[in-house]
Amino acid sequence: MPDEPLRRLGAALILLCAGALAAKAEPDCRKIAHDGNRYTVCTLRADQDEIRLFHSDADGNLFGSFSSIDSALAAEGKQLSFAMNAGMYHDDRSPVGFYLERGVQSGPLVTRDGPGNFGLLPNGIFCIRDHSAEVIESRRYAAAPPECVYATQSGPMLVIDGALHPRFLPDGTSRYIRNGVGVEADGVTVHFVISDNRVNFDSFGRFFRDALKTPNALYFDGKVSRLHAPSLGRSDSGFPLGPIVGAVAPVE
């Protein structure tokens, strides 16, 4: 039959696309050494991966852990393929600063100097759209708020338009396990990073700028930094967290 080759070609294309989607079920998580330090990097694409923020369920109950989110996602036939803590929080686990989940805001946008790392201006916002993502300096965000489906504010910015935060010192003595996020200039390639040894802000910022080539990057936290990366056989646990960012994939 003359249609048979076309049918076979169509079936092959369907299998090829299905294989590509299955491959994207696990983010690209890998170990990278840079300037004497070690990092774990999970790279996602905002135009292909489903990236969400998580804080509380529909009844207002705090998720607090990767396992709790996984349990909730099971009702959708989905699971976490990656996750990490995504911003600072108060003692009651409410976000410090601006937080947006599925278009619903909780927490004010903070653009003034303040105590701690969060108030070390410039701080910034990680904005997730339907098919793109961006790290935006907070005052720039306030001047022209973009359309974000999810957003979380943290600080300080690590890289601002290709430059390190002006307060970072190469010989800074504050060293912790730290985590953060950077977005490449294409607006879709998102790098989530956790250090595997204690680093200062200068080293952490230079890793985003020089190794990952992200023009803008944002610090999430230190000391409490945690990663869920099933592809690496890793899922950190501990006391309850506040905001969490994760990639969602179908249960295989």
Side-chain angles (χ1 to χ4, degrees):
M1 295 176 63
D3 293 0
E4 189 61 26
L6 290 176
R7 278 198 290 268
R8 289 178 180 176
L9 178 60
L13 288 173
I14 289 171
L15 288 173
L16 181 62
C17 291
L21 289 173
K24 284 304 294 176
E26 288 191 352
D28 175 19
C29 292
R30 61 214 184 276
K31 304 281 189 176
I32 300 178
H34 181 259
D35 199 21
N37 295 301
R38 303 181 310 278
Y39 302 91
T40 298
V41 181
C42 288
T43 301
L44 286 82
R45 286 188 61 91
D47 59 345
Q48 298 176 18
D49 296 299
E50 184 181 354
I51 307 173
R52 302 184 193 176
L53 286 171
F54 302 90
H55 184 268
S56 302
D57 64 19
D59 297 321
N61 299 309
L62 177 73
F63 284 120
S65 68
F66 307 136
S67 59
S68 294
I69 296 170
D70 247 342
S71 296
L73 287 171
E76 303 178 33
K78 296 184 177 181
Q79 62 186 348
L80 283 176
S81 58
F82 152 84
M84 70 167 36
N85 53 301
M88 300 173 190
Y89 48 86
H90 298 289
D91 290 343
D92 64 357
R93 274 40 183 185
S94 61
V96 174
F98 185 79
Y99 182 79
L100 189 73
E101 187 171 333
R102 292 188 180 276
V104 179
Q105 179 181 344
S106 61
L109 179 63
V110 179
T111 58
R112 64 184 183 280
D113 288 305
N117 294 324
F118 185 93
L120 187 63
L121 298 186
N123 58 22
I125 291 174
F126 176 50
C127 166
I128 304 167
R129 302 188 182 94
D130 284 331
H131 302 291
S132 64
E134 185 177 6
V135 170
I136 314 166
E137 191 272 320
S138 294
R139 290 179 176 173
R140 185 180 299 174
Y141 183 100
E147 292 290 332
C148 306
V149 180
Y150 299 93
T152 182
Q153 184 178 17
S154 192
M157 290 281 286
L158 297 168
V159 185
I160 312 106
D161 296 332
L164 292 184
H165 191 291
R167 299 281 296 276
F168 292 173
L169 301 173
D171 57 354
T173 57
S174 176
R175 295 177 177 272
Y176 292 102
I177 300 296
R178 304 184 187 274
N179 71 300
V181 61
V183 181
E184 290 191 17
D186 61 7
V188 297
T189 306
V190 187
H191 299 292
F192 295 95
V193 180
I194 187 168
S195 66
D196 293 329
N197 59 272
R198 296 173 182 269
V199 295
N200 63 20
F201 275 123
D202 185 79
S203 294
F204 200 40
R206 283 190 289 106
F207 179 69
F208 278 98
R209 184 192 65 181
D210 301 338
L212 299 179
K213 309 299 184 184
T214 59
N216 291 283
L218 179 65
Y219 178 63
F220 276 154
D221 214 335
K223 293 190 287 186
V224 301
S225 299
R226 286 189 224 150
L227 174 68
H228 175 75
S231 63
L232 299 178
R234 176 175 176 178
S235 187
D236 302 337
S237 61
F239 52 79
L241 298 168
I244 293 171
V245 62
V248 176
V251 175
E252 297 179 2

